Amino acid sequence: MPTENEVIVRVGGAAGEGGASTGESIAKLFSRHGLHTITYTSYQSAIRGGHNWIQIRGSPEKVYSQGDGLDLLLVLSSETADIHYSKISPGGVILYNNEKIKNGENLVRQDVKQLGIPATEMGRKYGNLPIQNTILVGALTHLLGMKLDTLVSVIETIFGKKKSDIFKFNVEAAQEGYNYSQQNFQPLGKRMNYTFTPKLLMTGNNALALGAVTAGCKFYSAYPMTPASTILHWMAAHSTKYSVLVKQGEDELAVVNMAIGAAHAGARAMCATSGGGFALMSEAIGQAGMTETPVVIVESQRSGPATGLPTKTEQGDLLQMLGAGQSDYPKIILAPRTVEECFYTANEAFNLADKYQCPVIIASDLYLSEHFETVDSLNLDSVPIDRGLLFDGNGDGRDYKRYQFTESGISPRAIPGQPDHMFVAPTDEHDENGVSISDVLCGIPKYVEIRARMMEKRMKKMEIAMQDMKAPSLEGAKDAELTLVGWGSTQGPIKDAVLALEQEGILVNSAQFKYLWPFPAEKCEQVLSQCKKLLLVEGNYSGQFGLLLAALTGIRIKEKLLKYDGEPIYPSEIVTKVKQVIGHI
Amino acid sequence: MATSEIATYESETKPDWCPGCGDFGVLAGLKRAAGILDIDPKDILVVSGIGCSSNLPGFFNSYGFHGLHGRAIPVASGAKLANSDLNVVVTGGDGDGYGIGLGHFIHVMRRNLDITYIVMDNGVYGLTTGQVAPTAEKGFKTKSSPEGVIEMPINPIALALVSGATFVSRAFSGDPIHMADVIASAIKHPGFSLVDVFSPCVTYNKINTYEFYRPRISKLDQTGHDTHSMEAAIKRSYEWGQKIPIGIFYQTERPTYEAEDAVLKNGPLIKQKPVARDPEILLREFM
């Protein structure tokens, strides 16, 4: 149930009824009132029809997840009431168009206020414009004690130019909805303190794309695949503004190989996909490892296997990412934990890719990629661009060896076009000069040794990279009865659960992992060995992170909360599980 | 042409192809073509996939990328888009380009990237010791088709013509001088150029040998062929049997992908500066 200083709104409707954009305008309304805001959108793989809903949570206090409970259900289509009516918290309201739910029939709960508005009638004068949503949002603005002016600013952002009719009509409709509500309804009476200091509102994919651009990404390739597609859309829309060449490839094989080609030629390059596309990319990711080409690959996981649930979330691809491509080769896997961290992780990923001349995988998921979250501020300068060890171009190049054996395993990289440092980057095993040894040299003792040394050279980079891989610190009470262990996007729900439990006097803390490969086993062991009891929280069936942890540290977590129904983890689910594990229920 | 010029492109690594392999002729032809055009090796990137012929970048003195089976075209595309100043040449076999990599082949042609693609076409998989390839003639017997191939062969020339390639040609390993001229024209051509080369596999294809091609090949430029006519090109692309045409089938001008991409109007990507880290610009849309 929502607390007094937060508000949770849910908007439901059929696909094509504008539910998502209505939800986004409410989120913007919240963030411009200075509220910490988080959304979660549940949608289906359909362009029209079906049922989609979006939840928007706002609070003057920092919130970390979509939250539990429901204060206000905004109904865009009749089935919305059927699906969500029972979820409204006692004392909450249902706000609807009278025409969609005739006279509020079947709305029988005594603990929920039924607020009907003749929105169709009110919107008739605007002709065919789908304006009922704006009327309802106008009413919502009043119910939450928010400012109509701020809503007008949101409408301006969405509909653009002030002079346009569509802007004007929407402003009028918002005003009418607001007035109707003022005349007929009581505000919700939430104790909200609006600062009107706008916060940045973005999705994880927005933050990743922005981070990539800030890092100097010049080449972005992709094949459309939910939930990575919004990176493609953002990049394409900003391509000329930020000088990023965006290429939609014919398939993910083309996409990743294009990115590798661009990176080989010296551009910072990134591509993104979901699990299915990532499976196609696997061989080429190994290619980047073998040729020591820096490239960034985003894997935004969705429910699998196979086509699975394309619009639903999961953390089920960790083992796939760890095992991508045949044999052993250097790669780095980072799992950003918040929208804000997506920005910094993108910057960091490009630097790590250049530093270790290897592929870097950013493990996101639908939940992190697509939900909107307010970010207090972004320090654009916090991660300076570091292109790593590039050959300076001095000398006649006669002694240049692209794959020179060095102490760190990192060899200076020349870029095609640089005079006198020609080399071939081979996917075949090769010697220091890049000469392939697979055809007529392997098996000969000298080259048996070179093969082994070349493997060691490449993998040596991972030993060095271990220094950059951090273990999470324990968040929360030091003397906690139990520690929640998670990775990536589950940080928000876990944090909210820790806070909720604290309210009840139950002390738990959490360790949320971001650096997944090379896995900093020793550092992690040190952190987790301080803990009394561990509970693994993951969005997959088999507890994939738990398997990694057990394999590399020997720490086997017996208690698990594993979710694989496609929905994000809610704080209340963690709270219930914790109580069960520590015997409070 | 002076031999010193050819030596410019001589690699320290000697080819390990079977003696008599058609790919020697292609390597010689490429060196000669680069010499004709007088391109500095540092400005050439040769990209290949996997197969006997895909080993070529290692035997040619320039920058190179010896990628995965079937994926040379997208690597080359990415490199060309990143640095449009580079002369990007893709070399490979028919299995690599017309088999496992066929999808990329078609798409790169409709994109018209300024890349030259030299396919050493021998109708057989050599490196994997002789299995059927996409250009093998119907009935061709191999380890994987002991009763003879059932499928029709790919017609790479016709396929290139209908896929939007702006330069479509064929050469023969047994005539490296003619081939060098064709390759030089292909590299010079602004846009995607295909050079399909009959490059006999002396070990695994005993049908399509030098002796098979020599009496059959006829040069298109000696038969009054109009290289600007798509209709004539299509017609000639289906000629097979006693007379098999080589040379330039078709050439036309269409703006390259690089010329039409808005971002590349400001020069090669690798010379473009990272975006200024100005919050006013970067963060405004999220307020």
Side-chain angles (χ1 to χ4, degrees), chain B residues 23-181:
Chain B
D23 298 350
F24 283 101
V26 178
L27 179 61
L30 178 60
K31 285 178 188 167
R32 200 180 158 84
I36 292 169
L37 300 172
D38 197 24
I39 313 174
D40 190 327
K42 77 171 175 61
D43 296 323
I44 307 176
L45 176 67
V46 185
V47 181
S48 69
I50 293 299
C52 295
S53 54
S54 288
N55 289 342
L56 189 143
F59 314 138
F60 185 85
N61 181 39
S62 73
Y63 282 96
F65 193 99
H66 186 180
L68 298 169
H69 194 34
R71 312 294 160 225
I73 290 280
V75 168
S77 303
K80 182 70 187 179
L81 290 170
N83 184 359
S84 39
D85 284 347
L86 288 173
N87 292 280
V88 178
V89 176
V90 181
T91 61
D94 50 303
D96 193 74
Y98 306 151
I100 191 168
L102 183 70
H104 308 310
F105 176 55
I106 292 171
H107 287 283
V108 76
M109 291 189 284
R110 67 188 187 86
R111 277 179 199 131
N112 200 33
L113 280 156
D114 188 10
I115 287 174
T116 295
Y117 188 23
I118 303 171
V119 182
M120 285 156 263
D121 185 351
N122 59 14
V124 73
Y125 281 70
L127 196 59
T128 49
T129 72
Q131 298 83 8
V132 67
T135 53
E137 285 185 67
K138 190 163 165 50
F140 185 57
K141 290 182 179 174
T142 68
K143 280 182 188 167
S144 61
S145 60
E147 307 300 325
V149 188
I150 295 169
E151 292 117 311
M152 290 279 292
I154 294 250
N155 181 337
I157 302 295
L159 183 59
L161 289 168
V162 299
S163 301
T166 49
F167 183 105
V168 182
S169 68
R170 185 192 276 152
F172 172 46
S173 267
D175 191 348
I177 307 248
H178 172 262
M179 175 171 34
D181 287 338

Side-chain angles (χ1 to χ4, degrees), chain B residues 8 19 23 145 152-154 165 196 212 221 226 281-282:
Chain B
T8 311
D23 298 350
S145 60
M152 290 279 292
I154 294 250
D196 182 74
F212 171 86
D221 57 354
D226 177 6
I281 296 167
L282 290 165

Side-chain angles (χ1 to χ4, degrees), chain A residues 118-325:
Chain A
T120 304
E121 188 55 42
M122 288 160 74
R124 200 151 279 151
K125 62 182 167 223
Y126 302 107
N128 288 330
L129 271 183
I131 215 150
Q132 294 82 2
N133 299 1
T134 308
I135 294 170
L136 292 168
V137 176
L140 171 142
T141 304
H142 164 256
L143 290 173
L144 298 178
M146 289 183 165
K147 273 197 177 170
L148 188 62
D149 285 355
T150 311
L151 178 59
V152 170
S153 79
V154 172
I155 292 170
E156 192 188 338
T157 302
I158 292 167
F159 295 105
K161 289 171 198 147
K162 281 192 165 179
K163 281 178 223 155
S164 73
D165 277 355
I166 189 158
F167 167 75
K168 211 177 80 195
F169 292 156
N170 273 282
V171 170
E172 279 175 35
Q175 175 84 56
E176 283 185 48
Y178 188 92
N179 291 347
Y180 187 92
S181 178
Q182 203 171 28
Q183 284 152 21
N184 298 284
F185 309 144
Q186 285 292 316
L188 250 61
K190 287 272 177 181
R191 281 190 216 154
M192 306 286 265
N193 178 27
Y194 302 130
T195 63
F196 296 98
T197 309
K199 292 186 185 303
L200 299 170
L201 181 72
M202 55 177 74
T203 64
N205 278 354
N206 287 153
L208 268 178
L210 184 72
V213 162
T214 312
C217 174
K218 286 286 159 202
F219 186 90
Y220 179 78
S221 50
Y223 184 85
M225 188 169 193
T226 304
S229 298
T230 48
I231 303 178
L232 173 62
H233 303 164
W234 192 91
M235 283 291 201
H238 295 76
S239 165
T240 48
K241 187 176 178 191
Y242 299 142
S243 278
V244 184
L245 195 150
V246 177
K247 189 76 208 84
Q248 180 176 327
E250 56 270 27
D251 52 36
E252 285 87 351
L253 303 166
V255 161
V256 68
N257 278 284
M258 280 179 179
I260 290 167
H264 177 73
R268 278 197 155 178
M270 181 169 98
C271 57
T273 185
S274 188
F278 188 88
L280 293 181
M281 291 183 179
S282 290
E283 186 190 22
I285 297 170
Q287 164 179 254
M290 187 61 149
T291 57
E292 307 198 37
T293 307
V295 65
V296 177
I297 302 120
V298 179
E299 215 258 60
S300 181
Q301 304 157 90
R302 67 189 207 189
S303 293
T307 309
L309 293 167
T311 63
K312 292 291 163 189
T313 199
E314 196 172 291
Q315 293 183 304
D317 299 349
L318 178 58
L319 293 181
Q320 164 168 260
M321 288 182 251
L322 289 167

Side-chain angles (χ1 to χ4, degrees), chain A residues 471-583:
Chain A
S473 48
L474 287 178
E475 296 279 325
K478 274 221 166 98
D479 51 347
E481 292 178 62
L482 179 143
T483 300
L484 295 156
V485 178
W487 62 281
S489 72
T490 53
Q491 169 157 306
I494 288 176
K495 268 197 161 178
D496 273 338
V498 170
L499 292 175
L501 286 160
E502 198 180 278
Q503 295 285 317
E504 298 184 44
I506 302 170
L507 290 186
V508 301
N509 58 18
S510 64
Q512 192 74 14
F513 289 77
K514 170 186 170 183
Y515 297 90
L516 302 183
W517 196 260
F519 188 66
E522 277 177 37
K523 291 179 225 174
C524 294
E525 219 175 326
Q526 276 168 20
V527 173
L528 295 182
S529 61
Q530 310 161 30
C531 305
K532 289 182 192 156
K533 194 167 201 163
L534 302 174
L535 169 60
L536 181 70
V537 179
E538 283 196 71
N540 59 53
Y541 183 87
S542 56
Q544 298 186 1
F545 179 77
L547 296 174
L548 175 70
L549 190 70
L552 295 176
T553 65
I555 298 171
R556 293 183 61 183
I557 305 180
K558 289 192 196 75
E559 301 293 348
K560 299 177 183 111
L561 170 59
L562 301 173
K563 200 172 178 191
Y564 39 84
D565 60 4
E567 298 303 317
I569 295 174
Y570 283 80
S572 58
E573 294 169 317
I574 301 169
V575 167
T576 305
K577 182 73 185 178
V578 167
K579 287 179 180 171
Q580 192 188 321
V581 169
I582 61 177

